[in-house]
Amino acid sequence: MIYIVIIAIFIIVPVLTFAVLKEIDKQNDEKEESDYEVYKTKTLTQAQISDIHEKGKITPEEKVKELEGLGMCIGDHIGSMAWRCDKFRNCHDCLVDYANTKDEHTSFFDDIKIICK
């Protein structure tokens, strides 16, 4: 009889506890998923896009692609923008949020040309 009690204490209880904790964790993950805002770039008309390109600028969507292609990070996990790394689930959403602050952006390569002159 004592062996059954020992088995129950050392095997069954931890297994059940693990199962309950795993279910609670799953429910928390589902709640976080439903609360998370999906970030999308601004929708611009073709006329707005043409106007932006005529000025030699790029759209928010193009800015996101440019920064992702360069492997650049706005927050970089340090400095004054490090809070962005905690707010967003991934770098793409962070870059989209950043790019949506303006309708038009200067290309990173144009910025480099100015610095190198």
Side-chain angles (χ1 to χ4, degrees), residues 1-15:
M1 178 70 176
I2 196 144
Y3 294 118
I4 295 173
V5 173
I6 291 172
I7 291 172
I9 291 173
F10 290 106
I11 296 176
I12 297 173
V13 171
V15 169

Side-chain angles (χ1 to χ4, degrees), residues 47-84:
Q48 289 173 311
I49 294 170
S50 297
D51 187 41
I52 290 168
H53 289 161
E54 285 175 12
K55 295 178 189 175
K57 305 281 185 167
I58 59 175
T59 65
E61 184 175 355
E62 293 165 334
K63 186 66 174 180
V64 170
K65 289 179 183 176
E66 177 186 64
L67 293 173
E68 286 178 334
L70 295 169
M72 296 186 76
C73 175
I74 300 303
D76 237 359
H77 300 279
I78 56 172
S80 63
M81 298 299 277
W83 62 268
R84 297 182 72 84

